[in-house]
Amino acid sequence: MKQKQTLLTAALALLLSACSTTKTVTPAPEPPAAEETAPVVSLPIVAPNTEFVSIAEAISLLSHPEEASALAKKYGYKSVSPYAVYRLDVYKEMLYKNCRPAKTVGSSMYEDTPKPLRKGTSSYVAIKEDITIGVFNAAAYGNLVQQLSAAGFTLVSDGHEQEYSNGTVTAYCYEARKTVRLEKN
């Protein structure tokens, strides 16, 4: 019995040692490196809507708020200064076109931002340390977002507001209200 057990153990050890294999892996040779060139990225050309202020003009307005009256004259905006939205925000100046200011609740205090009229492309530009451009139709809002891409802005984060940046200016696009808010970094 002891001899049978020893023979079985030896056979089992031989069987297990025969099952293992060793394999040598050699890495595949790397192909010769081709000369890499950076892809040329061309920015889309987007014509700004001529009915309201463009993204480029709004960016300029961030640095030169004194240009607001010239923009108002160029686009036919009316102006209210100051314009306070009740319990929300106070703007140095509100430019609006084809809109009416919201209901007054006090001296230079309004219920909301301007409301659209039925004729023309309604828009407003709210000016304080940042600039907010508000429009009231999807095509006009789409044009503003396309202008951002054409100006070299890239999407930083997508959420409640889409955040775009070009390194010096950050743009927050809020589709529900069709607004684009620009602020310096």
Side-chain angles (χ1 to χ4, degrees):
M1 178 83 165
K2 193 132 185 110
Q3 188 180 14
K4 226 181 194 183
Q5 193 175 18
T6 307
L7 191 58
L8 248 145
T9 305
L12 186 60
L14 183 63
L15 181 65
L16 288 176
S17 67
C19 289
S20 69
T21 60
T22 58
K23 185 175 182 181
T24 309
V25 178
T26 57
E30 292 186 23
E35 196 172 306
E36 292 185 28
T37 58
V40 177
V41 178
S42 62
L43 296 174
I45 297 173
V46 177
N49 190 320
T50 58
E51 296 292 315
F52 53 86
V53 68
S54 70
I55 293 295
E57 291 166 324
I59 290 171
S60 174
L61 198 58
L62 277 172
S63 300
H64 307 286
E66 67 277 0
E67 294 176 357
S69 59
L71 278 177
K73 186 175 182 180
K74 177 180 177 181
Y75 290 102
Y77 284 109
K78 295 177 185 173
S79 176
V80 174
S81 183
Y83 190 101
V85 178
Y86 183 66
R87 292 187 176 188
L88 185 63
D89 222 338
V90 178
Y91 301 102
K92 292 177 186 171
E93 189 171 5
M94 178 68 73
L95 307 176
Y96 61 96
K97 179 179 175 181
N98 296 327
C99 295
R100 61 175 170 71
K103 182 180 173 185
T104 305
V105 292
S107 177
S108 296
M109 179 92 45
Y110 300 87
E111 277 187 337
D112 202 359
T113 54
K115 300 297 177 199
L117 297 175
R118 293 180 188 240
K119 62 175 185 166
T121 302
S122 303
S123 66
Y124 65 89
V125 180
I127 303 168
K128 54 179 192 171
E129 293 78 32
D130 57 22
I131 306 293
T132 302
I133 305 170
V135 293
F136 296 95
N137 67 53
Y141 176 75
N143 180 265
L144 287 171
V145 174
Q146 289 172 351
Q147 286 181 55
L148 285 172
S149 297
F153 283 77
T154 56
L155 183 65
V156 175
S157 75
D158 194 7
H160 179 68
E161 290 182 311
Q162 292 178 323
E163 180 183 347
Y164 292 85
S165 182
N166 69 354
T168 57
V169 175
T170 302
Y172 298 93
C173 301
Y174 184 42
E175 190 173 8
R177 285 190 59 105
K178 296 178 182 57
T179 61
V180 174
R181 181 171 42 95
L182 301 165
E183 31 180 78
K184 287 183 181 179
N185 290 346

